[in-house]
Amino acid sequence: MTKSLFALPLSAAMFATLLAAPQCAFAKQQTVSLNVPTMDCATCPITIKAALSKVPGVARVKVSYEKREAVIVYDDAQASVADLKKATEDVGYPAMLKMSR
């Protein structure tokens, strides 16, 4: 005789996982642009991209030396704009949120 999956008791860990799962549904990817005016050489984007890529939740980073800009796609449940700005500042490149028009 086969027992139904629904007839089996839930362990505390399984129950906690089920309760936590809906919270993940509220996370969403965001895209933000940061002005990084202190980039002064063509190798600066490499350092900035490496720092931003280490922030948990960051999915993609594109850094443009010509525009002095970093465009970051990230999970807003794992990272914030403040986290991204801190990452660039920690490697010597203070950044400001670029306002969209």
Side-chain angles (χ1 to χ4, degrees):
M1 177 193 282
T2 308
K3 287 189 176 185
S4 167
L5 179 62
F6 298 107
L8 298 175
L10 290 176
S11 71
M14 289 172 64
F15 185 70
T17 301
L18 289 172
L19 286 178
Q23 294 173 349
C24 296
F26 297 113
K28 103 178 178 181
Q29 278 196 336
Q30 299 289 331
T31 301
V32 67
S33 296
L34 298 177
N35 284 327
V36 191
T38 57
M39 277 194 260
D40 60 1
C41 70
T43 59
C44 294
I46 297 167
T47 303
I48 294 166
K49 182 175 183 173
L52 288 167
S53 295
K54 290 179 185 175
V55 176
V58 169
R60 287 189 308 275
V61 179
K62 182 177 180 184
V63 182
S64 170
Y65 170 67
E66 294 77 18
K67 294 180 181 180
R68 308 290 197 277
E69 173 185 75
V71 178
I72 306 104
V73 177
Y74 67 100
D75 180 336
D76 68 356
Q78 296 181 26
S80 67
V81 172
D83 296 330
L84 303 173
K85 289 172 58 177
K86 182 175 181 340
T88 64
E89 187 174 315
D90 287 351
V91 292
Y93 299 94
M96 297 167 284
L97 182 62
K98 185 173 182 178
M99 303 309 262
S100 60
R101 296 180 187 192

